Amino acid sequence: MVLTMIAALGIKTNPSNIECEKLEARSKHYLERMRLFDFLHVTSGITMKKHELAGRSVPLTQIKNSTELTEFITEVTPLLHLEPKHAEPIRYIMSELIRNVLEHSMSKHGAIVSAQYYKKSNTIRIGIADTGIGIWKSINQSYNPKTDLEAIRLALTPGITGTTRQEGGTDRNAGAGLFFIKSIASVNSDFFVIYSGKAMYKLLKRKGKKIKLHVDPFEDRHSKKGDLPSWEGTVVGIDLSLDTTQEFSLLLKLLNETLNEAIKERKKARYKKPQFT
Amino acid sequence: MIHIKLFKQVGVFAENKDIAADIRLNKLLPALEKNQDIILDFEKIEGATQSFIHALISDLMRKYGNEVLDKIQFKSCNATVKGIISIVVDYMQESD
């Protein structure tokens, strides 16, 4: 996630304003393999042997339109050497998050994405960053959130999209994309974090076996902050645990049941109450 | 009756909403205008996103009501695609 943020800043910064000190860190080969220095237009001086270039990772990639997204999605899963039950949610998550950037961020630089497999935790960590208008401005087209944190809360609520206030969304946007991805993370007991403007929301790993998806993300087990250094755009990170990943079709079945409950809960909250005098 | 084989246009992973909207506007809506039944054939498609299916059918449900589902058959869907379609269809009906 941090790598994508640095790369996203790198591509909008004049290369003459970027300096890179001689790297001593052991991670320098990793940074080279992930193509960070290409994004910063910095010559790292690191030479890589062929076997060092291979690895279960998706190097930093910039995606600026729908065609590039389709190509990326086709190529991405083989790079991570995954079995289908792991590949499916990853392909799904990446596709939906990148499309969100292309449709809502208004960033001329598009989305920056990367992913990496971590052997020790047996997780795939995905980061997607943009330097667009951010969630507050996007949601503010239809709603009026007072803060970045409130905007994130709305963006994670099913049925809410910046494109309309109409229930069920428009012909192109259901307002369910981020809720859906947060729900996949919740069902799998994965980390999910979203950072935009001065606010960050982090879904914490679910405790216990009972799965309950809430309409209001603040009712899920989470942490949040509203006074961080401002990120002009949006960043999403998700850690997908390969130990807990369920078959995607089972996950969807579970998701459907809980999503319907969530929508009913949302509708019920808007019911008018009788006035008893 | 029209039979639309989606694989040719969308590949193994149905995620491109622009293509979904194009199919809806240029094939599905004209067919429904003529009161034709529709077969949406998902053969060879491994997966789909909620936003693709939403862009494909939600507006039809809004325009023609839930009864439009009697005119559409979803053919050769694997478990994942069935799951996504069910979610979108339920979601649209719950959002009425």
Side-chain angles (χ1 to χ4, degrees):
Chain A
M1 183 175 165
V2 174
L3 269 192
T4 58
M5 293 169 82
I6 297 169
L9 287 178
I11 52 172
K12 61 180 280 190
T13 306
N14 187 330
S16 64
N17 292 329
I18 300 176
E19 276 184 40
C20 183
E21 293 174 4
K22 192 172 184 300
L23 285 163
E24 302 293 343
R26 283 167 59 195
S27 57
K28 63 185 181 182
H29 287 84
Y30 167 70
L31 300 178
E32 175 70 22
R33 177 155 57 86
M34 296 303 277
R35 297 191 200 142
L36 180 65
F37 302 109
D38 294 349
F39 277 81
L40 301 179
H41 305 285
V42 165
T43 308
S44 69
I46 299 167
T47 49
M48 303 281 284
K49 290 174 186 159
K50 201 176 177 185
H51 73 273
E52 290 176 315
L53 289 166
R56 294 176 70 177
S57 61
V58 178
L60 287 160
T61 307
Q62 181 179 18
I63 297 162
K64 292 205 280 190
N65 58 50
S66 188
T67 311
E68 287 178 4
L69 170 57
T70 301
E71 282 170 13
F72 174 77
I73 291 297
T74 309
E75 292 164 6
V76 71
T77 41
L79 292 174
L80 293 166
H81 312 290
L82 297 166
E83 356 169 351
K85 81 167 187 175
H86 296 132
E88 277 193 274
I90 286 171
R91 180 166 65 174
Y92 187 95
I93 288 165
M94 284 186 156
S95 167
E96 290 284 60
L97 288 176
I98 296 167
R99 200 161 283 283
N100 261 357
V101 173
L102 300 180
E103 290 189 0
H104 303 297
S105 79
M106 296 184 190
S107 168
K108 63 178 180 179
H109 301 292
I112 308 296
V113 55
S114 75
Q116 171 73 42
Y117 171 72
Y118 289 84
K119 194 176 177 182
K120 202 173 171 184
S121 54
N122 198 25
T123 54
I124 300 274
R125 296 183 186 168
I126 301 165
I128 292 165
D130 72 69
T131 50
I133 61 171
I135 292 178
W136 185 88
K137 273 191 185 163
S138 180
I139 290 287
N140 196 47
Q141 294 170 78
S142 302
Y143 295 83
N144 302 107
K146 288 191 177 65
T147 62
D148 289 319
L149 197 56
E150 199 184 322
I152 289 178
R153 185 183 196 173
L154 287 169
L156 290 170
T157 303
I160 289 185
T161 163
T163 53
T164 181
R165 283 187 85 108
Q166 180 179 249
E167 194 68 30
T170 65
D171 60 339
R172 288 183 62 91
N173 284 291
L178 278 174
F179 173 77
F180 212 93
I181 286 163
K182 189 205 72 172
S183 302
I184 291 173
S186 175
V187 170
N188 270 339
S189 199
D190 295 324
F191 275 117
F192 167 85
V193 63
I194 185 160
Y195 182 5
S196 184
K198 291 182 178 176
M200 184 193 73
Y201 170 91
K202 184 154 80 172
L203 179 79
L204 300 174
K205 289 194 175 207
R206 182 168 45 78
K207 277 190 173 172
K209 286 187 176 172
K210 192 171 187 301
I211 299 170
K212 164 102 173 133
L213 301 178
H214 295 97
V215 174
D216 182 352
F218 286 5
E219 286 181 28
D220 293 317
R221 202 169 161 266
H222 74 285
S223 66
K224 57 182 177 290
K225 285 193 171 177
D227 55 356
L228 295 170
S230 186
W231 177 264
E232 304 300 313
T234 305
V235 194
V236 177
I238 186 161
D239 293 357
L240 201 88
S241 164
L242 303 190
D243 293 329
T244 55
T245 306
Q246 310 205 25
E247 289 294 338
F248 197 51
S249 55
L250 290 177
L251 192 151
L252 290 171
K253 194 164 176 280
L254 201 59
L255 203 55
N256 198 12
E257 288 163 11
T258 40
L259 182 62
N260 285 337
E261 268 181 49
I263 295 166
K264 277 178 191 153
E265 192 187 315
R266 181 167 140 77
K267 282 175 89 171
K268 204 169 175 185
R270 288 200 305 261
Y271 283 0
K272 278 198 173 296
K273 302 277 183 255
Q275 294 184 57
F276 299 109
T277 54
Chain B
M1 167 90 75
I2 64 160
H3 187 160
I4 299 167
K5 293 190 175 185
L6 293 165
F7 174 75
K8 278 184 199 162
Q9 281 173 273
V10 305
V12 292
F13 184 54
E15 54 80 33
N16 191 324
K17 287 164 77 173
D18 300 331
I19 295 175
D22 184 63
I23 294 169
R24 169 168 48 81
L25 292 170
N26 295 313
K27 293 184 177 169
L28 305 185
L29 276 171
L32 291 170
E33 289 295 319
K34 292 180 204 159
N35 201 28
Q36 285 180 308
D37 288 342
I38 295 167
I39 296 175
L40 282 174
D41 194 334
F42 285 79
E43 192 181 5
K44 296 186 195 168
I45 292 180
E46 295 169 6
T49 61
Q50 165 264 325
S51 55
F52 176 90
I53 300 296
H54 180 90
L56 189 68
I57 61 169
S58 70
D59 201 42
L60 307 179
M61 292 177 70
R62 195 169 279 137
K63 279 198 170 87
Y64 291 93
N66 299 338
E67 290 69 30
V68 78
L69 295 170
D70 297 334
K71 308 278 296 173
I72 303 173
Q73 288 175 51
F74 299 93
K75 187 169 185 272
S76 302
C77 300
N78 67 18
T80 300
V81 175
K82 274 183 190 168
I84 298 280
I85 293 171
S86 301
I87 285 174
V88 173
V89 165
D90 287 1
Y91 182 82
M92 284 307 294
Q93 293 182 84
E94 290 288 351
S95 302
D96 275 348

